[in-house]
Amino acid sequence: MGKFPGQHSRPPDTDTSLRLAAPLQSCGRTGDLRLGRRLHARLVLSGAAAASAFLTNHLITMYSHCADVTSALRLFHAMPRPNLVSWTTLISGLAQNSMHGDALTAFASMRRAGLAPTQFALSSAARAAAALAAPLLGAQLHCVGVRIGFDSELFVASNLADMYFKSGLLAEACRVFDQMPHKDAVAWTALIDGYAKNGSLEKAALAFRAMKREGLVGADQHVFCTVLSASGGLKDAWLGRTIHSSVIKAGFQLEVAVRNALTDMYANAADMEDAARVLRIDPQGWTVVSATSLIDGYIETERVEEALRIFIELRRQGVEPNEFTFSSMIKGCAMQALLEQGAQLHAQLIKTNIISDSFVGSTLLDMYGKCGLISLSIQLFNEIEHHTDIAWNALINVLAQHGHGREAVQAFDRMTSSGIRPNHITFVSLLTACSHSGLVDEGLKYFNSMKDAHGIEPKEEHYSCIIDMYGRAGRLDEAEKFIHEMPVKPNAYGWCSLLGACRMRGNKELGEVAAKNIMELEPDNTGVHVSLSGIYASLGQWEDVKAVRKLMWDSRIKKLPGFSWVDANNKTHVFASEDWSHPQQEKIYKKLEELYERIKEEGYVPDTRFLPCNLDNAAKERILRYHSERIAVAFALISMPATKPIIVKKNLRICVDCHSALKFISKVESRDIIVRDNSRFHHFGKGRCSCEDYW
DNA sequence: GTAGGGTTAG
């Protein structure tokens, strides 16, 4: 009596230690921190913990597994003589809890304390270097490994290979992998995933084949997940199907992660039927991840209504959509300019705390921008608490698409001065903004600052923006010179910009060069032939026009039909050129005729330069008068209240003549008309357009 | 005796 328990207890013997350690281990496995703390308290009272490094190491492991790093660290620092396992446990615990920098520091301290790292410590440190994508530190660890003979050990080498892959050093990674005498499923996953994440999808698929051919290791669920993701990226449903059958043979088809990967693979390969089938066979109901994959697949294939169906069904099953689900859905609304549905999703988001997610906030901002409501878009940006690079990029892009070049430049300056680093996407938007507003000098200034001031190597899309910038400004000679001096070849966008500019300026020679390059890069591009024949037509070279038409006919290339969409009375109405299928066609026709007379009185002159010469003038004017965007605007004028803005969406670029006509229509009707064509927005009002005729 | 790696949605 009167003695505190353990006051005189001796260091526990081996049997006692083992007995006490077992519950700690199982507690670490389940991650039950409360139980862990109780066990800890009991050990302190018994005096066993303080006396035994062995038990303290167990406690550190337990706390690390329960994500209580503070307690683990406190225990470690209280140890009079941490042993090899103590250090190793600490380093791995820090790495497990994503404290990668601290893990590497601890590794250095361990060596300074004169202890040779174990393979366990080395592999944990390599994992930390991989997570940080720190190839210099990683290579140092590699050297340490070589010196102490652990560089080919299974765990160390897997992590080193992973580290090199995550740092983009593929050759180094492969060298480490090839030197491994023993490779298990984890090592193969690192290889396959490494290739896939670096964009070498074919090599990822080949690595999976090599693994099967070697026949030493069976694929586990992780291997299947990675290779499915790679084959989804390849958009190769046949490869995916082969792997799917292997999945079934190996019995992994009911694993949640594998099923999600399968859904995602089929969705990426645009095989939505099979993607949906994988989801339907789920015996445990849906997970938010696989349903989101399916939704995203429908959105990417522009089947927004089906995506919406899955979304509703998901909620019916009681599964809450998360930030990924919402951003996919909102992206779909943005693509199709579905303002009503987008606003409904916004309303649902306000009820959750997901709205603070910067990705979701940015997709919302983008959606309102793409629906033409730029002021709402800017307001949303201002409501986002922390402006990440994604949010800034979205804002700059919206401003660019609406032709607000100056504001885009200002936004960029605000972004950089608030300490957010621009990335290559930022520069695509910024340069587009400059290009669309004729800010050539500013655009060049920012383009030239990319590498030196921001450490971003300009890529082909940036070079193409500059081509577009010169082209829109009519500086075709400089565009041509720029192309010759570029270190990379222009992409299709660059050549299309140049072709468009050549069409506007009637430059046949350069236009033909651009057209030839587009046909090589995008054999299915239908617009090239149309633009090219437009150049010939504007120069009156009707023989060449005929030749292009014949080429189109022979190669069965059809001109992409122009469509316009307009939302009125909660319904989306679609119109084609000379389209008289709408139930209100007679009224629309009358309105168009009336508008035509009124704008002609105001000074509108039809621009028939690009139309075939074999038509008489009346026929030419008739074609222009019934372009889809004009029918859509006429319909909106007769069916919507005068207070609502008219927002028309087009799948092609607006033609010069419609652009002129809509300016006049906005004047005679005193209405704001917003047209979103496939390259940007035009806000018509009071006889002017926001693009100031610069497009 | 105690410590370790890879996987599924923007």
Side-chain angles (χ1 to χ4, degrees):
Chain A
M1 277 292 287
K3 278 184 204 163
F4 287 115
Q7 208 170 20
H8 295 292
S9 61
R10 282 159 297 157
D13 55 30
T14 304
D15 285 349
T16 321
S17 288
L18 280 175
R19 192 166 44 76
L20 295 171
L24 279 177
Q25 274 185 318
S26 77
C27 179
R29 273 195 299 273
T30 53
D32 186 343
L33 185 58
R34 275 181 51 194
L35 177 61
R37 289 217 173 103
R38 273 217 301 282
L39 292 168
H40 185 183
R42 214 184 297 162
L43 286 175
V44 169
L45 286 175
S46 74
S52 152
F54 172 77
L55 281 177
T56 311
N57 289 345
H58 266 296
L59 279 167
I60 296 174
T61 309
M62 181 276 294
Y63 278 120
S64 299
H65 285 175
C66 295
D68 184 353
V69 191
T70 320
S71 300
L73 274 168
R74 197 181 307 132
L75 279 167
F76 178 85
H77 288 306
M79 289 178 91
R81 291 173 60 82
N83 63 22
L84 209 55
V85 179
S86 317
W87 278 104
T88 307
T89 310
L90 177 76
I91 295 164
S92 101
L94 290 168
Q96 269 169 25
N97 285 284
S98 301
M99 297 173 63
H100 304 296
D102 298 279
L104 287 167
T105 313
F107 183 80
S109 307
M110 176 185 187
R111 300 191 66 208
R112 258 202 313 278
L115 295 167
T118 59
Q119 72 267 45
F120 302 107
L122 197 54
S123 68
S124 293
R127 179 191 175 192
L132 294 171
L136 286 178
L137 279 169
Q140 283 174 22
L141 295 171
H142 190 178
C143 289
V144 174
V146 171
R147 218 161 26 215
I148 57 180
F150 285 140
D151 59 313
S152 294
E153 193 267 344
L154 186 63
F155 285 65
V156 174
S158 301
N159 273 327
L160 283 175
D162 189 40
M163 178 275 298
Y164 282 126
F165 272 126
K166 292 209 164 89
S167 310
L169 302 169
L170 272 66
E172 301 297 319
C174 290
R175 200 172 315 148
V176 173
F177 179 85
D178 290 338
Q179 279 170 3
M180 292 173 74
H182 257 19
K183 297 156 185 137
D184 66 357
V186 179
W188 282 103
T189 308
L191 182 76
I192 298 169
D193 190 53
Y195 275 133
K197 294 267 157 66
N198 279 287
S200 303
L201 298 171
E202 290 90 354
K203 284 196 176 153
L206 286 174
F208 176 69
R209 277 237 201 97
M211 177 190 146
K212 293 188 64 162
R213 198 175 46 238
E214 269 191 18
L216 300 173
V217 195
D220 66 4
Q221 54 166 320
H222 299 298
V223 173
F224 281 125
C225 282
T226 356
V227 73
L228 281 169
S229 158
S231 64
L234 280 169
K235 310 204 175 301
D236 185 343
W238 187 83
L239 174 65
R241 229 177 278 282
T242 317
I243 300 166
H244 191 173
S245 77
S246 307
V247 165
I248 294 168
K249 258 187 254 166
F252 288 113
Q253 74 273 28
L254 292 181
E255 288 291 334
V256 174
V258 174
R259 253 207 353 269
N260 289 344
L262 277 168
T263 310
D264 195 47
M265 179 274 296
Y266 281 121
N268 271 331
D271 182 348
M272 294 311 298
E273 282 60 43
D274 281 325
R277 199 168 300 142
V278 172
L279 203 64
R280 297 273 175 221
I281 57 163
D282 189 349
Q284 295 132 34
W286 291 4
T287 68
V288 65
V289 176
S290 52
T292 303
S293 289
L294 192 61
I295 285 175
D296 199 51
Y298 280 126
I299 298 291
E300 290 297 325
T301 46
E302 301 193 16
R303 291 155 71 170
V304 180
E305 271 154 44
E306 275 146 301
L308 192 64
R309 242 193 21 237
I310 302 292
F311 185 78
I312 293 166
E313 165 111 25
L314 187 70
R315 307 210 85 170
R316 213 177 47 77
Q317 291 195 13
V319 183
E320 278 302 308
N322 64 13
E323 66 270 32
F324 287 90
T325 328
F326 273 109
S327 40
S328 275
M329 290 298 305
I330 296 165
K331 186 182 167 199
C333 295
M335 277 162 50
Q336 313 230 339
L338 303 173
L339 182 57
E340 292 285 330
Q341 286 89 331
Q344 271 179 35
L345 288 165
H346 185 184
Q348 290 181 39
L349 268 170
I350 290 172
K351 293 184 210 153
T352 71
N353 61 353
I354 304 172
I355 188 108
S356 57
D357 182 89
S358 72
F359 229 111
V360 173
S362 308
T363 42
L364 262 179
L365 186 167
D366 179 64
M367 185 272 294
Y368 281 116
K370 290 213 164 87
C371 288
L373 303 179
I374 189 167
S375 51
L376 247 173
S377 200
I378 294 167
Q379 192 186 321
L380 249 137
F381 177 82
N382 293 331
E383 282 170 12
I384 295 177
E385 250 174 78
H386 297 289
H387 293 134
T388 59
D389 50 349
I390 305 164
W392 281 108
N393 286 354
L395 176 74
I396 294 171
N397 194 40
V398 165
L399 291 167
Q401 286 185 338
H402 286 263
H404 297 265
R406 289 256 168 247
E407 287 90 334
V409 168
Q410 281 163 10
F412 177 81
D413 290 341
R414 270 164 57 212
M415 172 185 187
T416 48
S417 57
S418 72
I420 304 292
R421 281 180 54 185
N423 56 27
H424 68 276
I425 300 167
T426 319
F427 279 100
V428 173
S429 301
L430 178 67
L431 296 175
T432 310
C434 292
S435 169
H436 283 205
S437 301
L439 304 173
V440 181
D441 293 338
E442 279 90 342
L444 288 171
K445 187 189 93 189
Y446 285 115
F447 175 75
N448 290 323
S449 79
M450 281 178 68
K451 202 171 169 213
D452 296 337
H454 304 283
I456 298 165
E457 190 75 48
K459 295 206 280 191
E460 54 179 39
E461 60 252 46
H462 303 108
Y463 286 102
S464 297
C465 284
I466 302 295
I467 299 173
D468 187 55
M469 190 179 296
Y470 279 128
R472 280 173 200 268
R475 291 155 70 166
L476 292 177
D477 291 345
E478 282 160 283
E480 194 179 3
K481 188 164 168 276
F482 184 77
I483 291 172
H484 281 302
E485 289 168 0
M486 279 167 56
V488 290
K489 297 263 282 173
N491 62 14
Y493 172 79
W495 288 120
C496 286
S497 300
L498 187 68
L499 180 59
C502 290
R503 180 179 165 169
M504 296 294 281
R505 313 277 161 176
N507 186 325
K508 185 178 123 179
E509 287 73 25
L510 200 51
E512 283 172 339
V513 175
K516 190 169 153 276
N517 279 288
I518 300 167
M519 287 179 210
E520 274 167 23
L521 288 170
E522 292 185 341
D524 297 330
N525 190 318
T526 54
V528 193
H529 302 87
V530 180
S531 294
L532 199 56
S533 80
I535 294 181
Y536 296 140
S538 65
L539 296 171
Q541 299 179 351
W542 303 107
E543 286 306 313
D544 290 325
V545 173
K546 266 192 218 153
V548 176
R549 290 275 151 90
K550 186 172 177 325
L551 181 69
M552 286 175 77
W553 177 260
D554 291 345
S555 43
R556 297 178 202 289
I557 296 167
K558 283 217 177 77
K559 184 178 170 178
L560 193 65
F563 288 105
S564 291
W565 292 261
V566 67
D567 280 352
N569 313 323
N570 289 331
K571 200 171 171 266
T572 304
H573 303 257
V574 57
F575 299 94
S577 183
E578 300 198 43
D579 178 354
W580 302 116
S581 58
H582 197 273
Q584 299 192 49
Q585 50 144 310
E586 265 179 49
K587 279 189 187 164
I588 301 171
Y589 185 79
K590 257 181 70 186
K591 183 72 189 173
L592 269 173
E593 292 302 310
E594 173 216 317
L595 283 172
Y596 189 62
E597 292 310 320
R598 283 169 61 201
I599 63 177
K600 260 178 130 172
E601 278 168 27
E602 284 286 330
Y604 160 75
V605 183
D607 184 344
T608 57
R609 276 178 302 158
F610 300 116
L611 292 173
C613 62
N614 50 0
L615 300 171
D616 60 40
N617 275 339
K620 287 182 188 174
E621 285 181 29
R622 219 181 69 93
I623 291 176
L624 293 174
R625 219 183 310 167
Y626 302 135
H627 270 173
S628 63
E629 53 268 53
R630 282 197 225 182
I631 305 180
V633 167
F635 166 73
L637 283 169
I638 59 170
S639 48
M640 279 166 72
T643 50
K644 282 214 166 188
I646 295 170
I647 305 171
V648 174
K649 195 185 71 140
K650 258 204 82 144
N651 63 339
L652 301 175
R653 238 170 110 162
I654 186 169
C655 84
V656 190
D657 186 64
C658 284
H659 193 265
S660 150
L662 287 175
K663 282 195 286 186
F664 283 104
I665 293 174
S666 76
K667 187 177 178 189
V668 300
E669 288 280 329
S670 306
R671 284 289 282 266
D672 280 353
I673 301 166
I674 299 168
V675 176
R676 169 184 144 183
D677 72 6
N678 65 356
S679 94
R680 59 165 293 160
F681 275 92
H682 297 269
H683 289 243
F684 298 96
K686 302 188 177 71
R688 298 171 61 148
C689 177
S690 60
C691 75
E692 301 288 348
D693 299 336
Y694 193 91
W695 48 283

Tab-separated table of all heavy atoms in Angstrom, chain A residues 71-90:
chain	number	residue	atom	x	y	z
A	71	SER	N	2.536	13.984	-30.768
A	71	SER	CA	2.845	13.064	-29.673
A	71	SER	C	4.035	12.188	-30.018
A	71	SER	O	4.892	11.933	-29.165
A	71	SER	CB	1.630	12.189	-29.364
A	71	SER	OG	0.546	13.001	-28.999
A	72	ALA	N	4.079	11.739	-31.276
A	72	ALA	CA	5.197	10.888	-31.693
A	72	ALA	C	6.514	11.643	-31.525
A	72	ALA	O	7.482	11.121	-30.971
A	72	ALA	CB	5.000	10.450	-33.135
A	73	LEU	N	6.518	12.906	-31.967
A	73	LEU	CA	7.735	13.719	-31.878
A	73	LEU	C	8.130	13.951	-30.429
A	73	LEU	O	9.314	13.879	-30.071
A	73	LEU	CB	7.512	15.064	-32.567
A	73	LEU	CG	7.758	15.096	-34.073
A	73	LEU	CD1	7.223	16.378	-34.679
A	73	LEU	CD2	9.253	14.950	-34.372
A	74	ARG	N	7.126	14.226	-29.568
A	74	ARG	CA	7.410	14.507	-28.164
A	74	ARG	C	8.099	13.294	-27.530
A	74	ARG	O	9.106	13.420	-26.828
A	74	ARG	CB	6.122	14.850	-27.421
A	74	ARG	CG	6.387	15.547	-26.089
A	74	ARG	CD	5.118	15.866	-25.350
A	74	ARG	NE	4.155	16.616	-26.149
A	74	ARG	CZ	2.849	16.305	-26.250
A	74	ARG	NH1	2.381	15.256	-25.614
A	74	ARG	NH2	2.049	17.040	-26.977
A	75	LEU	N	7.557	12.115	-27.804
A	75	LEU	CA	8.144	10.888	-27.266
A	75	LEU	C	9.577	10.708	-27.747
A	75	LEU	O	10.468	10.377	-26.970
A	75	LEU	CB	7.309	9.676	-27.692
A	75	LEU	CG	6.064	9.411	-26.856
A	75	LEU	CD1	5.165	8.413	-27.533
A	75	LEU	CD2	6.487	8.896	-25.471
A	76	PHE	N	9.749	10.965	-29.063
A	76	PHE	CA	11.089	10.769	-29.618
A	76	PHE	C	12.106	11.693	-28.947
A	76	PHE	O	13.189	11.278	-28.540
A	76	PHE	CB	11.064	11.009	-31.134
A	76	PHE	CG	12.421	10.874	-31.768
A	76	PHE	CD1	12.899	9.632	-32.151
A	76	PHE	CD2	13.221	11.987	-31.983
A	76	PHE	CE1	14.158	9.501	-32.730
A	76	PHE	CE2	14.483	11.863	-32.559
A	76	PHE	CZ	14.947	10.613	-32.941
A	77	HIS	N	11.724	12.981	-28.821
A	77	HIS	CA	12.677	13.949	-28.275
A	77	HIS	C	12.957	13.708	-26.805
A	77	HIS	O	13.990	14.137	-26.288
A	77	HIS	CB	12.176	15.369	-28.517
A	77	HIS	CG	12.286	15.759	-29.957
A	77	HIS	ND1	13.461	15.670	-30.656
A	77	HIS	CD2	11.356	16.197	-30.851
A	77	HIS	CE1	13.257	16.052	-31.911
A	77	HIS	NE2	11.980	16.368	-32.044
A	78	ALA	N	12.034	13.028	-26.106
A	78	ALA	CA	12.252	12.744	-24.684
A	78	ALA	C	13.164	11.539	-24.472
A	78	ALA	O	13.572	11.248	-23.354
A	78	ALA	CB	10.909	12.508	-23.993
A	79	MET	N	13.471	10.835	-25.561
A	79	MET	CA	14.304	9.639	-25.399
A	79	MET	C	15.753	10.036	-25.127
A	79	MET	O	16.307	10.865	-25.842
A	79	MET	CB	14.260	8.770	-26.666
A	79	MET	CG	12.947	8.074	-26.878
A	79	MET	SD	12.973	7.135	-28.408
A	79	MET	CE	13.553	5.559	-27.798
A	80	PRO	N	16.382	9.455	-24.105
A	80	PRO	CA	17.776	9.793	-23.844
A	80	PRO	C	18.692	9.299	-24.973
A	80	PRO	O	19.612	9.989	-25.370
A	80	PRO	CB	18.084	9.074	-22.527
A	80	PRO	CG	17.008	8.061	-22.340
A	80	PRO	CD	15.820	8.499	-23.134
A	81	ARG	N	18.438	8.105	-25.472
A	81	ARG	CA	19.293	7.567	-26.523
A	81	ARG	C	18.442	6.883	-27.583
A	81	ARG	O	18.236	5.666	-27.515
A	81	ARG	CB	20.276	6.549	-25.949
A	81	ARG	CG	21.338	7.166	-25.041
A	81	ARG	CD	22.164	6.075	-24.368
A	81	ARG	NE	22.860	5.234	-25.355
A	81	ARG	CZ	24.009	5.585	-25.930
A	81	ARG	NH1	24.578	6.748	-25.647
A	81	ARG	NH2	24.602	4.793	-26.788
A	82	PRO	N	17.904	7.675	-28.524
A	82	PRO	CA	17.101	7.022	-29.571
A	82	PRO	C	17.966	6.025	-30.352
A	82	PRO	O	19.104	6.358	-30.702
A	82	PRO	CB	16.643	8.165	-30.471
A	82	PRO	CG	17.411	9.356	-30.061
A	82	PRO	CD	18.004	9.121	-28.707
A	83	ASN	N	17.463	4.849	-30.578
A	83	ASN	CA	18.271	3.864	-31.303
A	83	ASN	C	17.941	3.881	-32.798
A	83	ASN	O	17.148	4.705	-33.265
A	83	ASN	CB	18.111	2.463	-30.691
A	83	ASN	CG	16.682	1.966	-30.789
A	83	ASN	OD1	15.905	2.448	-31.635
A	83	ASN	ND2	16.328	1.020	-29.940
A	84	LEU	N	18.535	2.962	-33.525
A	84	LEU	CA	18.364	2.922	-34.978
A	84	LEU	C	16.893	2.829	-35.364
A	84	LEU	O	16.428	3.527	-36.274
A	84	LEU	CB	19.132	1.692	-35.505
A	84	LEU	CG	19.686	1.748	-36.918
A	84	LEU	CD1	20.563	2.967	-37.097
A	84	LEU	CD2	20.504	0.474	-37.186
A	85	VAL	N	16.168	1.973	-34.642
A	85	VAL	CA	14.743	1.795	-34.944
A	85	VAL	C	13.956	3.055	-34.585
A	85	VAL	O	13.025	3.437	-35.296
A	85	VAL	CB	14.183	0.553	-34.210
A	85	VAL	CG1	12.697	0.385	-34.495
A	85	VAL	CG2	14.949	-0.689	-34.612
A	86	SER	N	14.346	3.751	-33.509
A	86	SER	CA	13.635	4.976	-33.125
A	86	SER	C	13.705	5.994	-34.251
A	86	SER	O	12.699	6.592	-34.645
A	86	SER	CB	14.261	5.591	-31.873
A	86	SER	OG	14.555	4.610	-30.915
A	87	TRP	N	14.921	6.187	-34.762
A	87	TRP	CA	15.097	7.141	-35.874
A	87	TRP	C	14.277	6.709	-37.087
A	87	TRP	O	13.562	7.506	-37.696
A	87	TRP	CB	16.581	7.205	-36.267
A	87	TRP	CG	17.402	8.108	-35.394
A	87	TRP	CD1	18.262	7.725	-34.412
A	87	TRP	CD2	17.439	9.537	-35.414
A	87	TRP	NE1	18.843	8.818	-33.810
A	87	TRP	CE2	18.353	9.949	-34.413
A	87	TRP	CE3	16.788	10.509	-36.176
A	87	TRP	CZ2	18.635	11.284	-34.157
A	87	TRP	CZ3	17.077	11.854	-35.933
A	87	TRP	CH2	17.985	12.231	-34.927
A	88	THR	N	14.392	5.448	-37.418
A	88	THR	CA	13.686	4.936	-38.582
A	88	THR	C	12.173	5.133	-38.443
A	88	THR	O	11.491	5.574	-39.360
A	88	THR	CB	13.997	3.441	-38.754
A	88	THR	OG1	15.403	3.271	-38.763
A	88	THR	CG2	13.407	2.914	-40.027
A	89	THR	N	11.684	4.831	-37.238
A	89	THR	CA	10.256	4.963	-36.969
A	89	THR	C	9.811	6.415	-37.131
A	89	THR	O	8.764	6.697	-37.723
A	89	THR	CB	9.954	4.491	-35.535
A	89	THR	OG1	10.554	3.222	-35.349
A	89	THR	CG2	8.470	4.397	-35.296
A	90	LEU	N	10.647	7.310	-36.606
A	90	LEU	CA	10.313	8.732	-36.695
A	90	LEU	C	10.248	9.179	-38.155
A	90	LEU	O	9.279	9.820	-38.584
A	90	LEU	CB	11.379	9.555	-35.956
A	90	LEU	CG	11.177	11.067	-36.028
A	90	LEU	CD1	10.060	11.485	-35.088
A	90	LEU	CD2	12.460	11.814	-35.725
